[in-house]
Amino acid sequence: SSGINAEYGGHLKEFPLDDSEVTKDYDLDRPVKLDGSMESAVGQLVVSAGLIAEVLQWSTDGTPIDWGGVRRAHVTHQLCLLIRTLCSIAQHRGLELGKAFLQKIKLTGERYPIEKCQENPAAKYTELKDCEKVDSTLAQDNTSSGDGKIGSHSPRISDEVTAKPTLQSVTAMWRRFSEERDWLREHTPRNLTLDLFGEVGEVIEVVLEGRGDELLGEELSDCLASSVRLAEVCGINLTAAINHYFPQ
């Protein structure tokens, strides 16, 4: 941790990280220029994921994270860099990250039907038999729970999405999707950090092997899902932070 404080303490902007008010959402398709080559971009993903892991990989489940010094600002900054890099990679390859996320969440819903996940949250079901489409379940209205987490403000997911996905809506979609499958109990900072690292590795594999854009969109979406969930679990207002660090 002393290395983190020494390296990052000097230039991180001050930011009210506990601020719950967001006045402006973040458009995932906001133009972001790729800085250098694709190889350098995926290298940035590795760096950001590694620096996040340096702080969170040793966190114990159920124990509050020690946010001493600039650790929280450090994790926040690296998550913002990671999101921006995901967007730049997608745009460089002519992909819309928000649209790719919607396609991936639909595919994941087919692999993990709600009713099957509730029976066995760890199982993976790649074939659907006599199961209702997950889209229709996700599209149903929810009444507000009153805690600001799941309720009437959670976006609907259906075959025809009229709203353009933003960082806030993607965060709410993935939280709701995970909650319906009883996955939230596994979403600890350590688990999500390790998951993020694995997803970054899959992006690297797709890029370096020159595989198709459809697969790249899926892997970028997985990274996005892990990032937004990690931020939320850590109490980081990612939308406000990324607009702070990277104003339009």
Side-chain angles (χ1 to χ4, degrees):
S1 60
S2 58
I4 293 174
N5 292 338
E7 186 174 357
Y8 294 94
H11 71 269
L12 281 176
K13 293 182 179 180
E14 293 184 2
F15 181 67
L17 296 174
D18 58 347
D19 184 7
S20 61
E21 297 297 323
V22 179
T23 57
K24 183 180 180 182
D25 206 345
Y26 185 81
D27 182 359
L28 292 170
D29 295 321
R30 178 192 296 182
V32 181
K33 186 178 179 181
L34 187 71
D35 228 359
S37 64
M38 282 287 283
E39 288 75 12
S40 64
V42 296
Q44 178 60 56
L45 294 180
V46 174
V47 170
S48 291
L51 292 173
I52 292 168
E54 187 176 354
V55 176
L56 298 178
Q57 67 176 324
W58 308 116
S59 62
T60 304
D61 296 351
T63 302
I65 299 171
D66 178 12
W67 288 121
V70 297
R71 290 183 179 182
R72 195 177 192 199
H74 166 69
V75 170
T76 302
H77 190 224
Q78 292 304 323
L79 281 170
C80 291
L81 281 173
L82 199 148
I83 295 291
R84 288 270 293 186
T85 304
L86 293 175
C87 292
S88 69
I89 292 174
Q91 291 177 27
H92 183 72
R93 294 284 285 265
L95 299 171
E96 296 180 39
L97 187 55
K99 183 177 179 180
F101 176 84
L102 292 176
Q103 292 172 339
K104 183 57 191 280
I105 203 172
K106 179 181 178 182
L107 178 61
T108 305
E110 293 171 351
R111 290 174 176 169
Y112 297 89
I114 292 175
E115 61 275 20
K116 296 295 184 181
C117 286
Q118 291 173 346
E119 294 172 7
N120 185 357
K124 187 169 186 176
Y125 297 86
T126 56
E127 295 183 5
L128 296 180
K129 294 183 179 179
D130 301 323
C131 292
E132 295 181 6
K133 285 188 176 181
V134 70
D135 300 74
S136 62
T137 305
L138 288 171
Q140 293 176 358
D141 276 324
N142 264 337
T143 56
S144 177
S145 61
D147 59 4
K149 293 182 179 180
I150 302 294
S152 58
H153 296 293
S154 297
R156 301 178 182 183
I157 304 171
S158 64
D159 289 334
E160 295 182 4
V161 179
T162 56
K164 190 174 185 179
T166 63
L167 194 57
Q168 281 185 317
S169 65
V170 162
T171 300
M173 284 182 210
W174 189 240
R175 181 203 318 125
R176 181 177 178 180
F177 186 92
S178 300
E179 183 179 51
E180 290 177 324
R181 287 157 180 77
D182 200 23
W183 290 348
L184 295 188
R185 57 184 176 180
E186 303 296 334
H187 286 181
T188 64
R190 182 177 187 276
N191 286 349
L192 289 166
T193 298
L194 296 177
D195 181 62
L196 174 60
F197 218 92
E199 299 299 351
V200 166
E202 293 185 11
V203 170
I204 295 172
E205 182 180 359
V206 171
V207 171
L208 296 184
E209 292 184 0
R211 301 167 76 177
D213 287 348
E214 182 176 353
L215 183 57
L216 177 60
E218 290 185 20
E219 301 304 343
L220 292 173
S221 299
D222 285 339
C223 281
L224 176 62
S226 297
S227 299
V228 299
R229 190 74 194 112
L230 177 60
E232 193 169 40
V233 167
C234 289
I236 293 171
N237 189 329
L238 193 55
T239 302
I242 198 168
N243 281 321
H244 174 79
Y245 285 124
F246 303 104
Q248 190 171 15

